[in-house]
Amino acid sequence: MSSILADLSFRIYSEPDRFKIDHFDRLPDPLILLVFNKVGDVKALGRCCVVSRRFHALVSQVDNVIVRVDCVISDDDSNASDSSPDKPNGPFSTLFRLVFGGIVKPLQALGQFLGPNRTALVSGSSASASPSSSSLAVGASEEDGGADQGGVTHHSPTQVLKNFSEIRVLRIELPSGELGIEDGVLLKWRADFGSTLDNCVILGASSVIHPKTENAGGGDDDNNNGDDDNGSIPDSFYTNGGLKLRVVWTISSLIAASARHYLLQPIISEHKTLENLVLTDADGQGVLHMNSDQLEELRVKPLSASLASKRTLVPALNMRLWYAPHLVLSDGVVLKGATLVAIRPTEQSPKKEPSDVSWVSTAFEEPYRTAARMLVKRRTYCLEMNSF
């Protein structure tokens, strides 16, 4: 009997010995780093940091990071200006307020989003908070170990990224695009920057009709089917507000792009290892891209800032415009009033032949890449714009 008890005692106390070795610790650091680089998301990596000292040390070496902005934190703005009797009237002023009014608040928020290291609280009850303050923020919940009295602490991306020492690829995603546009309107842009604008491509349409959607009323170009327009812009384009609308699209897209570029300076200066930087939004409206050469150019050559606002000065530009009243894509989607604008600085030395538009037609993902390729085959219109 005593021998049986001895065996039972041996089995009870010796079984846990099998689990004293953590086999995950046998994985080499490069393999764990490979996993962390696949994870990418900065909040997920933050949670990994608290698992162990080893994870904490390895996370700082991750070279592929994604920062998703959670929210805009702002106090309510006064609506007094909306009711002002001195506001200009007319269709163009209404359009101007629609588009530019939609980007003022997000651009103000963007300025603090990538600005100095700071923490903003969701519960904006602090007496010291400015009535017009606003910021974009990456949140950390209580379970992540960064909670304040409101339950969630928010940090700017500059602060979030300060512990990463070897970032090569960085993607920042805003919660939405800056440009306020009506439902059914298509507006997408892509801009490449060095110390200033290298190029920008804008694709827009007054309305988008999907195959199963019945006639969706309304754009400014509905009366043009484009079947026999030989690539020319119809006269009605100049009289029904179509041209004015494209001008607003172009200017507002350039303002949004130059504001994003200006506000990336702190991150670019602090992370010398950066080789690829993308600042986009969850709506897929705009993409700002910088490669290794462009990032280095910004580090060694200071940018020119606009005196009117916190954004990079947009140089004098040459623009090429393509237009189709009615563009049918291969999947049956119809773009009404489809417009493509390719923009480059006037003083930029052309590295390619003027007829080469490959950089334009590859600016977007499908199905809009196909739309761009179709548009560049049409008649080209040249425009110029002064610096602003």
Side-chain angles (χ1 to χ4, degrees):
M1 184 69 178
S2 61
S3 62
I4 295 176
L5 290 176
D7 291 343
L8 181 60
S9 175
F10 175 78
R11 291 181 62 185
I12 291 176
Y13 292 103
S14 64
E15 190 71 17
D17 290 342
R18 296 182 183 180
F19 306 102
K20 286 184 178 180
I21 299 175
D22 185 349
H23 294 285
F24 198 89
D25 287 339
R26 302 171 64 181
L27 295 177
D29 287 352
L31 184 57
I32 297 178
L33 269 176
L34 180 62
V35 174
F36 286 163
N37 279 311
K38 294 294 183 181
V39 171
D41 181 73
V42 72
K43 288 192 289 184
L45 292 173
R47 296 185 181 101
C48 292
C49 278
V50 300
V51 172
S52 65
R53 290 190 180 93
R54 184 188 185 199
F55 276 21
H56 188 278
L58 290 175
V59 165
S60 65
Q61 302 174 39
V62 170
D63 59 20
N64 191 334
V65 178
I66 301 171
V67 179
R68 292 184 175 90
V69 176
D70 292 314
C71 59
V72 179
I73 304 172
S74 63
D75 296 326
D76 293 334
D77 295 329
S78 173
N79 295 323
S81 59
D82 294 335
S83 58
S84 173
D86 298 329
K87 270 191 164 183
N89 296 317
F92 182 61
S93 61
T94 302
L95 179 63
F96 184 89
R97 291 196 301 273
L98 171 66
V99 177
F100 282 90
I103 70 174
V104 170
K105 189 172 181 179
L107 290 183
Q108 290 173 343
L110 197 58
Q112 298 183 17
F113 161 56
L114 294 175
N117 295 350
R118 57 184 298 172
T119 300
L121 306 183
V122 170
S123 55
S125 58
S126 173
S128 61
S130 169
S132 60
S133 64
S134 59
S135 63
L136 298 180
V138 181
S141 64
E142 184 173 0
E143 64 186 17
D144 295 329
D148 57 35
Q149 64 224 19
V152 179
T153 301
H154 288 81
H155 308 277
S156 73
T158 304
Q159 187 175 12
V160 169
L161 295 170
K162 66 181 180 180
N163 292 324
F164 291 88
S165 58
E166 300 183 19
I167 300 178
R168 293 190 302 107
V169 179
L170 174 62
R171 179 184 176 91
I172 300 175
E173 185 177 292
L174 306 181
S176 61
E178 296 94 330
L179 310 184
I181 56 176
E182 293 179 335
D183 292 339
V185 175
L186 171 69
L187 181 58
K188 290 183 174 292
W189 59 265
R190 176 194 164 105
D192 285 64
F193 277 82
S195 60
T196 186
L197 179 68
D198 277 352
N199 62 73
C200 181
V201 183
I202 302 168
L203 177 66
S206 56
S207 65
V208 180
I209 301 177
H210 296 277
K212 294 183 180 180
T213 304
E214 297 183 0
N215 189 15
D220 51 18
D221 312 290
D222 286 347
N223 295 327
N224 302 309
N225 57 25
D227 293 335
D228 55 357
D229 60 6
N230 68 19
S232 300
I233 294 179
D235 292 339
S236 60
F237 181 78
Y238 303 99
T239 59
N240 64 3
L243 178 60
K244 291 180 179 179
L245 177 61
R246 273 66 181 183
V247 170
V248 172
W249 285 351
T250 301
I251 294 176
S252 55
S253 296
L254 288 170
I255 289 175
S258 61
R260 290 188 187 188
H261 178 252
Y262 179 87
L263 298 164
L264 285 173
Q265 289 182 91
I267 290 177
I268 295 173
S269 62
E270 291 179 14
H271 296 274
K272 307 296 185 183
T273 56
L274 262 179
E275 298 176 1
N276 187 286
L277 173 59
V278 174
L279 177 51
T280 185
D281 55 79
D283 295 336
Q285 186 180 88
V287 177
L288 183 148
H289 178 262
M290 299 180 71
N291 60 31
S292 57
D293 293 337
Q294 292 165 335
L295 289 164
E296 187 59 29
E297 178 185 328
L298 179 58
R299 293 187 185 103
V300 300
K301 183 180 179 182
L303 58 79
S304 298
S306 169
L307 298 178
S309 59
K310 292 184 177 181
R311 61 177 179 82
T312 303
L313 184 68
V314 177
L317 303 170
N318 285 330
M319 301 186 293
R320 285 182 286 175
L321 182 146
W322 298 269
Y323 174 82
H326 190 91
L327 195 67
V328 182
L329 304 183
S330 58
D331 58 358
V333 173
V334 178
L335 304 183
K336 289 195 173 184
T339 307
L340 182 68
V341 183
I343 304 169
R344 274 183 167 171
T346 302
E347 297 181 355
Q348 185 183 76
S349 301
K351 299 178 181 179
K352 300 179 179 179
E353 294 297 325
S355 60
D356 183 4
V357 291
S358 60
W359 63 279
V360 178
S361 57
T362 59
F364 304 105
E365 300 295 331
E366 294 292 357
Y368 304 111
R369 177 172 294 188
T370 296
R373 288 174 176 168
M374 296 171 67
L375 284 166
V376 296
K377 296 177 181 179
R378 301 175 66 85
R379 185 172 180 177
T380 304
Y381 292 83
C382 297
L383 304 91
E384 294 182 352
M385 182 179 291
N386 293 329
S387 174
F388 64 94

